[in-house]
Amino acid sequence: MAPVKRKSATETQSTRPEKKLKSAPTQASRLSVVREEGPAFPRGGASVLTPLEHKQIQIQAARDVLFEQNTGKKSTKRDFEDEENEDDEVGGADATLAAGRRKPRSKNKKGKESGILEEPSIRIEGLGYKRLVPGSMVFGQVSRINRYDIALTLPNNLTGYIPLTSISDKVTEAVEALAADEGSSEVSADEAKGKEVDLKTLFSPGQYLRAYVSSTHDATSSGGKGKKRIELSINPRQANSGLKRVDLVVNSMVQATVASVEDHGLIMNLGLEDATIRGFMSSKELGQNIDHLKVEEGTVFLCLVTGLSANGNIIKLSADTRKAGNIKRSNYLTDAPTVDSFLPGTAVELLVAEVTPSGIVGKVMGLLDVTADLIHSGAAASGKSLEKKYTTGSKIRGRIICTFPMASEKKLGISLLDHVVNLRPPKPTGLAEDVSPTDVLPISTIVQEARVAKVEPGVGLFVDVGVKGVRGFVHISRVADGMTKTLSESIGPYKLGSVHRGRIIDYNPMDGMFLVSLEQKIIDMPFLRLEDVQVGQIVKGTVEKLVINAAGIGGVLVNLAEGITGLAPEMHLADVHLQHPEKRFKEGSSVTARVLSTNPEKRQLRLTLKKALVNSDGEIWKSYDNLAVGMQAPGTLVNILSSGAVVQFYGSVRGFLPVSEMSESYIQDPKQHFRVGQVVNVHIVSIDAAERRMRVSCRDPSLFGAAQQKALQELSPGGTVSGLVSEKTNDEIVVELDHSGLKAGLPIEHLGDESARKCLSLANRIRVGQTLQDLLVLDKQEAKRLIRLTSKPSLIKAAKAGKLLKAFEDVVQGTEVVGFVRNITLTGVFVQFAGGLTGLLLKNHLPDEAIRLPDFGMRRNQSVLARVLSIDYGQQRFLLTQKITTTQETTKLKESGAPLSAVRDLSNPADGVSSSLDDFTLGKLTKAKIVSVKETQMNVQLADNVQGRIDVSEVFDNWEEIKDRKHPLKIFRPKQILPVRILGVHDSRNHRFLPITHTGKAPVFELSAKSSHQREGEIDILTLDKVQVGSKWLVFVNNIADDCVWVNLSPNVRGRIRAMDVSEDVSLLTDLSKNFPVGSALRARVVNVDVTSNRLDLSARPASSSHSLALEDLSKGMVLPGRVTKVTERQMMVQLSEDLSGAVHLVDLADDYSASNPAAYQKNQVVRVCIKNIDVPNKRLVLSTRPSKVLSSSLPVKDPDIDSISQLKVNDVMRGFIKNVADTGIFVSLASNVTAFVRISDLSDSFIKDWKTNLEVDQLVKGKITEIDPILNHILMNLKQSVMDKDYKAPLTYADIQVGQTVTGKVRKVEDFGVFIVIDDSANVSGLCHRSEVAEQRVADVRKLYEEGDTVKAKVLNVDLEKRRISFGLKASYFTTDEEDSDNESDGEVAGEIGGVTFASSSNAETEDDDMDREDIDLADVPDIDSDEKGMSDDDIDGDVAAIEDVDVTSDDVQGLSTGGFDWSGGVMDHDMRDVQSDTDGEISQPKKKKRRRAEIKIDRTGDLDANGPQSVADFERLLLGQPDSSYLWVSYMAFQLQLSEVTKARDIAERAIKSINVRDVGQKLNVWVALLNLENTYGSDESVEEVFKRACQYNDAQEVHERLTSIYIQSGKNQKADDLFQSMIKKFSQDPKVWLNYATFLCDTLSAPDRARALLPRAMQSLPKYNHLDLTSKFAHLEFRSGNGDAERGRTIFEGLLTTFPRRLDLWNVLLDLEIREGDKERIRSIFGRVTSSKLKARKAKYFFKRWLEYEEKEGDAKSCENVKARAGEYVRQQESDKQQE
């Protein structure tokens, strides 16, 4: 933007009224009095002016003010000017986001002659990255809270980051303590997690803070563009730097951190140098809805100073933004002793000195210059001219937002924006307070119409994006994809009023402005942020790189968009385990993935490439809240245990798959049947969303039918059954129960009460098919469908007598009970009864003789007779005893027939009055003590061991008494005493209460706590027959079913509310469990009462809207809520009322048919539907869930909704779903009532032999309408691409093929006489390449060169259109260029030529290795080797290099090669290209009768391959013809054969290689031997490995072969064989220290046998020469430190012994220091440094160690330790000087 020039005297006068112009003097205009009040004094308050100058300034200021008040004119007289203002360089106004420009020097000569000089103008500078320097202070707003830092939004589209250690001293101390605890092994993981600093509890988004700039730097990533990063600190010590006691005045802003939390407020730390000054913030000054007791220490607030104590040591603070932001009348700084009070965040009043189009300049209190740039002056947001809004001399209020430390004179940046001034978040105009701009227009949204509202040339555009009150800014670099140099308001594509398409890329709450990009590449990007990626979404990306870890390939990084990269872990690369992922996923290749999980906070994105998950149509499980029992979906096994497996789904959803649910058959070890990474289809068995737990099953749910389910529900513990033995195992007998078919388990030890041997004897007599009678049901688990039986006579007898415990209510103190041992611990025995009920028999309550026995003389499942000792009703636990105690007296009293009152006395009654259980009669008013509070009831005690319950329906009399509607009983606490009234006795079996006469052994009283019942009088017990239709009731949710909610009106009156009638708000119906949890209160109206069937129907909707819908009430286009009742692949059924339901077809599911997926909906899900069609006679409804129908008609529609055939036109391109596949064609559904027909001939441009296999019902197809018959209602459609696509290219035919044309194709068939080739992109056009045209030489067997499917390039030799025959040629000479023809003089004249050596075609060429007849070689014109090298052209050299590069080891283009699952090199083979390039020229032996010079054979030019590398046997044979000594080619050839499962051929190739490679190339031969060893190790037997190993040792270095084989064994996991081989090596090669060290490393690291490794050292000392002892010993000591199984203390001991023997070996000291520094023990490290420096060292070596010690202390120590090192060094120098003087 061009600089704004200062108006000249003439211009200034011309803008005033004419009367003032005449009266104005002719003298040049002066600046406003604001500029003449004097310069800002230096920081700290001290002035540089003399007292006389101060006096002159005050007189002139007073005179100017009086003159302006009286006349309205400015004073033109200047009595005083500062010499510093005489510089005529005037600063121009800055653009908002660009650096300011200087104004040109004034050319007013008249002004200069008169001696009047204008003072420099204050530059309007916007805050930018370059102006932010360490020491700057800025005002910002918290935008994002990360795990380790906080993002603070700054003015002018800047963002800074606050590290964890720059928040407050308290937080820093907590971080340091956490770091110290991580190094301590005594701290558990739970304790460490509890101490972790959670920034989200300390800060909230939108919070305003003052920040201190710590540093600015470019965080340049590798290979990427550098990003500017601003490091900030909000620690009050930095944020309040410069503040002193005198600066803390009322209405100033100060940053403070919470030092401690007190009862009435917070003690605040201001971070000032004067530690006596503290702050106090009352609990009422924190703001709305903030509990000061929940505020954590270390929290930082920007506070308003509201007052000071008498001595000034206590500063009263307020963090209430409503108070601090209210500056209309007060709360702005009106008095400041020094300029240090003016810090960012402070509200001030300024006097406008100058108004320009780009900002405002003003003065605060006549002292301080402030500027507001284009954005923060409000010009950019409002679009109004600043000159019209503000006038010079007016006073306005704003808030300081930044400082400019680098400015020549002190000035501050200020903001006049309403939300900054008032300290509130910005919001769009006309919307609610809690609606933010990003709620209206989220980031990444594409704006279709962005209208240019303001143009800043050279800066950017301000656009209207459709949100009233919030504009967008487009930087000039984001206007277009290319470079835009300038912008104009009047011309060009971006002039005022022009409309463009853009995308929201960010939002700055400080500027209150969207950041917009008009670049097409940004608009086309699928994602801008990680937050845009949805879990479960299918995405496309490119492979960025492979992740390598210690185990190999750890995953693949996939780039989805710029800056968005996801990781596909190794287990998610494919459905099967890939041995070589690098061959499938190459850098830059495209892949399709599905998003597994996202973590924007950690910037993590996990993907899966498994086809089973990517192509799955199953529902995405990404939240526990949306899951229900019975739902099915695929998942991935991430961990397999002996008890089951962990199944991972999407997001953080995981489920446990028990081993019993893995299959219908028995599975002993899950690892034998499943593997980690396997995809399994499971269904939910049970789920607890609150606990985030879920159990799943792989078993077929259809095998367990409704009849069996009902039988399982009716089966109750304690009952007797009979069944047929169906299976026997070592542990239990499987019994199939009669009449139900249920399978139950009968443990062997439950066959009798006798010993385990007796039970086993009984089991041996039981046969499969035998019927067992009188079996007792011990327990059942409906979720797992498990039933446990027993045949113990003692338990069966107790059950028939009614004494078997089945529920906790059956437990009576003092009674004898029969059970069996469930578990035995050191402290006691757990005894189990029926129904899973368990009691504890403590050790001290066992017989004395049993205590001394192992396991107390008991075994699991042993029968036990005990007595109930005590009962804990609160914890639902009871204790047992086998000792005779005084409690038996009560039992004896009952058995003797004594009065019952003798055992019904009460202990500690809650009312303090009742004495006997008989006192509790119906209607009695008493008191109860709360034991526990549940969701639907309170468990209470009337006295010790006298229990009661208060149902939630018996607590409240009316709706107003309930404070928390979701949790009504939350107001009650345990041990609270309540007045109650007895209603009856609770029956736990039927969940109702009985009359008071039905008191059992341990009665549980039904009580009422309603205030209306606490008065004397009769109680009217509510029953179902008293409920009237239309009456209103206060009800409480008791249970939630799929289609309804069960509620309680009273403890014994229960009703149901249909899911659609629970609430008028449809959004609440999507999750009933969350919005209406069990126990929540509702107001309901009775709809229907049926006493005979005991049914009560209610509705919680208003009477006006809850009437049942009828067919006549519906109309087309009506939008209603409905419940999904059935989902199929073709449609879903939606129920609108009890009697109305309709279907939603595929074509009515979505506006884009690609998104039509019925599986996306769940049964019982509530959806909004639109009535599309009503068939009254047939009572049928057609519904639609299209968003354009149910939400807004303005939404985009890709596939239009067609109501009738009249809406279609010929040539319309439509999409639809295949409705039926007939013999004559297919029927395509275009709408629910519109179907088109496609003939077979119109299906595809190409011939499809079996066309039905490529089509299926419900498949989405696209075609063009070719014919419409409205009368017959027929539509004809064409799916051919040539009909729909104008640019369609027809496939090649025989007529298109020309002689001489070069084509590509694939081998269709190989015969003895030639090869049949099909031309690519043709209509199945094929031809023959005769055997004579396959190669330059004669080919005996074509099958050795080509196979079916090979890709070839051929030349057309002849075309016969009549017979439809084509002849091809594959000779290399057909494809050579003219340049190559000129280099080869006699090319084409002979059968084959390679590098000047001519080969004639001969019948003797048909040998195994394609040897040629040497007698036909013409060497007459062959130059010698030297001349050949010198005469070789550059093209020849390039050709040779290219031929070699075709088989480059590191090339990514070589395909089709597989290493067969192992490393060919044995871990040490070095693939160096020199091996490939060396000795590539083979030699041809000459016949003895012809003494001719040998010719050098160059690389076979005819064997050059394409960029894909060798793809067939022929390719390898041609390459080996030119490079017979290349081990890489031979090994690759072997790998190729292994890929085809040709192990025998791979062995043969290895044998050929060993024979063919020159005997001098020892390294090349060794590589082949190692590859052969690898092959035999993987595919062969131990004998074959041993045979190859012996042969390899004969022809190679034996030690080298031994080392290679041990490496192969270790890599393949055959550690025992490696151990045996190592033991052999230390005997054969005992003189090599490396062998001993390698064996020790193997033992220590791989076998985890450090003791064996240590035992090698003495043996090695005996075998090795003495000069090797020191080095080997130190390496063994080093191994103790390095290995995870080593002992560092043992390593220190070894080093100490070496240093004692060799104290002057400084290398040992250095190694020990390195190891100890790695260990991190500071005291031990300092001790070693002290020892080595105290020894007698030369000056140079001593200097080295002292320098290293000092560097260590500077890094790890403190100042004191550094001084200690320096003192020691000084002492050493003085000692050395003293020694020299003595000498």
Side-chain angles (χ1 to χ4, degrees), residues 1235-1284:
T1235 304
F1237 178 68
V1238 184
R1239 295 174 297 196
I1240 297 176
S1241 58
D1242 295 334
L1243 289 176
S1244 175
D1245 290 293
S1246 58
F1247 172 75
I1248 304 176
K1249 185 177 181 180
D1250 190 4
W1251 61 274
K1252 284 189 178 182
T1253 58
N1254 296 324
L1255 300 172
E1256 59 182 11
V1257 177
D1258 299 333
Q1259 181 178 341
L1260 182 62
V1261 294
K1262 182 178 180 182
K1264 178 182 282 188
I1265 306 297
T1266 58
E1267 188 177 335
I1268 300 176
D1269 189 345
I1271 299 175
L1272 298 177
N1273 201 29
H1274 287 179
I1275 303 171
L1276 204 60
M1277 198 173 182
N1278 195 312
L1279 305 185
K1280 287 184 176 180
Q1281 192 68 24
S1282 58
V1283 176
M1284 291 185 290

Side-chain angles (χ1 to χ4, degrees), residues 75-321:
S75 174
T76 59
K77 191 173 184 180
R78 296 182 67 184
D79 295 335
F80 175 79
E81 283 198 17
D82 192 358
E83 292 180 359
E84 295 180 1
N85 295 336
E86 293 179 359
D87 187 4
D88 61 351
E89 183 180 347
V90 182
D94 279 2
T96 306
L97 301 176
R101 300 184 176 92
R102 299 281 187 181
K103 287 188 176 182
R105 295 176 179 268
S106 175
K107 298 181 180 180
N108 191 348
K109 295 181 180 179
K110 185 177 180 180
K112 291 184 179 181
E113 292 174 359
S114 61
I116 301 174
L117 297 175
E118 275 195 2
E119 66 177 359
S121 171
I122 301 299
R123 295 180 60 191
I124 302 176
E125 294 180 331
L127 190 65
Y129 177 77
K130 294 183 179 179
R131 294 192 180 97
L132 274 179
V133 297
S136 303
M137 289 195 189
V138 288
F139 189 52
Q141 191 177 5
V142 176
S143 61
R144 188 171 65 254
I145 302 173
N146 303 320
R147 187 177 182 183
Y148 299 115
D149 61 13
I150 302 171
L152 196 69
T153 301
L154 307 178
N156 292 11
N157 190 29
L158 295 176
T159 301
Y161 295 91
I162 307 165
L164 199 60
T165 55
S166 298
I167 295 175
S168 63
D169 294 339
K170 288 278 187 181
V171 175
T172 304
E173 292 173 2
V175 173
E176 291 175 350
L178 186 63
D181 291 342
E182 288 179 355
S184 174
S185 59
E186 299 177 358
V187 180
S188 65
D190 294 337
E191 293 178 355
K193 188 175 181 180
K195 295 180 181 179
E196 188 173 351
V197 178
D198 186 5
L199 295 180
K200 293 183 179 180
T201 62
L202 302 180
F203 299 92
S204 59
Q207 182 179 352
Y208 286 95
L209 294 171
R210 178 193 302 154
Y212 175 90
V213 179
S214 303
S215 65
T216 58
H217 59 276
D218 292 343
T220 305
S221 60
S222 59
K225 185 178 180 182
K227 293 184 179 180
K228 300 179 174 62
R229 183 175 177 89
I230 303 171
E231 296 281 352
L232 304 174
S233 172
I234 58 173
N235 194 315
R237 288 191 288 106
Q238 284 83 32
N240 296 332
S241 59
L243 284 180
K244 297 181 177 58
R245 182 190 294 267
V246 296
D247 299 320
L248 299 175
V249 295
V250 177
N251 293 330
S252 63
M253 300 293 287
V254 63
Q255 195 138 298
T257 178
V258 178
S260 64
V261 180
E262 307 299 335
D263 292 339
H264 303 290
L266 307 175
I267 304 298
M268 310 297 289
N269 182 6
L270 305 183
L272 304 180
E273 295 181 359
D274 190 352
T276 60
I277 303 176
R278 308 284 282 181
F280 177 76
M281 186 187 304
S282 172
S283 60
K284 300 179 181 178
E285 297 292 342
L286 275 172
Q288 275 185 324
N289 304 324
I290 299 179
D291 186 0
H292 81 285
L293 296 177
K294 295 182 180 179
V295 177
E296 297 186 11
E297 295 182 1
T299 307
V300 179
F301 293 101
L302 183 63
C303 308
L304 176 72
V305 177
T306 59
L308 292 84
S309 63
N311 58 2
N313 289 338
I314 304 300
I315 311 298
K316 297 179 181 180
L317 305 174
S318 173
D320 191 350
T321 55

Side-chain angles (χ1 to χ4, degrees), residues 923-1098:
K924 177 179 175 62
L925 295 173
T926 182
K927 292 184 179 181
K929 181 172 67 174
I930 298 176
V931 176
S932 62
V933 180
K934 308 297 182 182
E935 294 293 340
T936 58
Q937 69 179 30
M938 290 185 290
N939 296 324
V940 299
Q941 275 188 344
L942 299 176
D944 289 352
N945 301 330
V946 179
Q947 309 301 317
R949 69 181 292 273
I950 307 175
D951 191 83
V952 65
S953 60
E954 291 296 334
V955 178
F956 305 99
D957 281 315
N958 52 59
W959 179 260
E960 288 72 19
E961 292 182 5
I962 304 175
K963 304 301 181 184
D964 189 345
R965 306 291 160 75
K966 288 189 177 182
H967 307 282
L969 299 181
K970 198 174 182 180
I971 59 176
F972 298 97
R973 296 288 182 268
K975 298 184 180 181
Q976 183 178 349
I977 304 296
L978 295 178
V980 295
R981 192 167 193 175
I982 298 177
L983 300 179
V985 178
H986 179 70
D987 184 3
S988 60
R989 293 183 181 87
N990 300 321
H991 299 286
R992 60 188 177 89
F993 63 84
L994 306 171
I996 200 71
T997 56
H998 287 67
T999 55
K1001 299 178 181 178
V1004 178
F1005 290 94
E1006 192 72 51
L1007 309 172
S1008 174
K1010 287 184 177 180
S1011 57
S1012 60
H1013 289 172
Q1014 307 307 313
R1015 295 186 294 271
E1016 294 290 346
E1018 292 186 2
I1019 300 178
D1020 186 13
I1021 303 297
L1022 181 67
T1023 56
L1024 186 59
D1025 56 345
K1026 298 179 182 179
V1027 180
Q1028 302 296 323
V1029 174
S1031 58
K1032 297 181 180 179
W1033 296 87
L1034 181 62
V1035 299
F1036 299 87
V1037 177
N1038 180 267
N1039 192 15
I1040 299 174
D1042 293 336
D1043 58 345
C1044 67
V1045 173
W1046 292 94
V1047 295
N1048 278 6
L1049 283 70
S1050 71
N1052 62 336
V1053 178
R1054 191 179 187 190
R1056 71 176 193 129
I1057 304 176
R1058 280 196 327 120
M1060 301 301 301
D1061 294 332
V1062 174
S1063 175
E1064 186 73 9
D1065 189 354
V1066 180
S1067 62
L1068 299 178
L1069 304 181
T1070 56
D1071 192 346
L1072 293 177
S1073 301
K1074 179 180 179 181
N1075 299 317
F1076 304 98
V1078 173
S1080 57
L1082 294 172
R1083 288 185 291 189
R1085 182 176 52 84
V1086 178
V1087 177
N1088 182 36
V1089 180
D1090 189 351
V1091 179
T1092 58
S1093 59
N1094 197 28
R1095 177 170 177 174
L1096 174 63
D1097 294 325
L1098 303 101

